[in-house]
Amino acid sequence: MAINTSRLDRLISDLCQINRKKVRLILAQKRVYVDGVLAIDIAQIVDQFSYVVMDDEVLQENQPHYIMLNKPIGVVCATKDEKHKTVIDLLAGHFVQEIRDSLHIVGRLDLNTSGLVLLTNDSRWSERLTSPEHKVSKCYQVTLENPLTAEYIDAFAQGMYFPFENITTKPAILHIVSSFEAQVSLTEGRYHQIKRMFGRFRNPVIGLHRHSIGQLSLDESLKCGESRVLSVTEVDNIGN
Ligand code: URA
């Protein structure tokens, strides 16, 4: 998801349908404020959430939205789907269409994976959470068909080579909870990553549930399919 930034003169030109020469004049006449501060620099970088006022008229006031959802198995992490219910469909009745239409999914889960899914219209925030450089951990509870052994721990920590993408997975932490259950923590999200990693041991994953992303855990009061808005503290602290 591209980050929505623009030069101030371009934004005003687009919003007001006037040419950039006129915008330059308007800025020089000190008629524009961005986030409450006088703006005179044509090259000032603004984004989709910058609050832009010209001559006391609000030109742009988009609000960021941050939502957590407890995704059930059988619901697809997509905005539209012909066959399955989508995570966006689950928000109907709780969030107006204008908000639902603005959202994207922060790190998808497979159709048969349940648990914590985040949705937002703030691409800067979602990029920070999903890019491997930021090393934000995503923690999963995994149920396996066959018993686990201690050798899995090393293999996950060392990383596995995926020839299709020609990458080696980043170090992952595997904690054995019981013979058939593990907690896995990843800092990236490759296609079917957990299933493929256990696949190296010919051990099929029969249950997969994401319970946290960074500092944020799935709210236990949310039933399957339910969602809620994140608090300001949750939004700010998740990646720390
Ligand atoms: N790994 C998987 O295999 N599936 C998911 O949904 C998430 C991580």
Side-chain angles (χ1 to χ4, degrees), residues 33 40-41 43 58 78 104 121 125 170-171 177 188 215 219 227:
Y33 287 79
I40 45 170
D41 180 3
V58 179
H104 62 268
N121 57 349
W125 186 73
K170 299 261 182 306
V177 178
E188 57 188 341
Q215 301 298 313
D219 184 334
S227 54

Side-chain angles (χ1 to χ4, degrees), residues 108-113 140 186 189-196 208 210:
R108 287 155 201 271
L109 293 178
D110 296 339
L111 185 67
N112 52 4
T113 303
Y140 298 82
L186 304 178
R190 303 282 172 190
Y191 179 69
H192 292 334
Q193 183 164 345
I194 290 185
K195 290 173 193 150
R196 289 161 77 195
L208 188 54
R210 183 159 65 195

Side-chain angles (χ1 to χ4, degrees), residues 73 109 112-116 138-144 148 173-175 177-178 180-186 194-195 198 205-212 218 220:
I73 290 168
L109 293 178
N112 52 4
T113 303
S114 58
L116 177 60
K138 288 94 191 168
C139 296
Y140 298 82
Q141 213 168 294
V142 193
T143 310
L144 286 315
L148 291 148
I173 300 169
L174 181 141
H175 171 69
V177 178
S178 66
F180 296 91
E181 267 186 322
Q183 298 251 12
V184 173
S185 173
L186 304 178
I194 290 185
K195 290 173 193 150
F198 283 102
V205 169
I206 57 171
L208 188 54
H209 179 82
R210 183 159 65 195
H211 56 83
S212 65
L218 180 62
E220 287 183 2

Side-chain angles (χ1 to χ4, degrees), residues 1-89:
M1 174 75 39
I3 293 172
N4 257 331
T5 57
S6 163
R7 275 171 49 136
L8 180 60
D9 60 344
R10 184 170 302 147
L11 179 82
I12 295 175
S13 163
D14 289 347
L15 291 172
C16 302
Q17 295 293 300
I18 51 176
N19 66 38
R20 285 209 242 160
K21 208 168 147 195
K22 275 202 185 130
V23 176
R24 236 172 278 148
L25 186 65
I26 289 169
L27 290 171
Q29 290 169 336
K30 301 185 175 172
R31 292 160 57 190
V32 175
Y33 287 79
V34 174
D35 295 329
V37 178
L38 180 68
I40 45 170
D41 180 3
I42 54 168
Q44 178 174 344
I45 299 297
V46 287
D47 66 27
Q48 72 206 97
F49 304 122
S50 303
Y51 184 75
V52 184
V53 174
M54 184 172 92
D55 298 336
D56 294 331
E57 189 194 333
V58 179
L59 297 185
Q60 178 180 274
E61 57 170 344
N62 297 333
Q63 290 297 314
H65 300 288
Y66 308 93
I67 296 165
M68 81 152 77
L69 168 80
N70 185 359
K71 176 193 164 318
I73 290 168
V75 170
V76 71
C77 270
T79 47
K80 281 196 181 80
D81 194 84
E82 303 272 289
K83 250 175 58 195
H84 298 100
K85 198 175 249 196
T86 70
V87 288
I88 299 287
D89 293 334

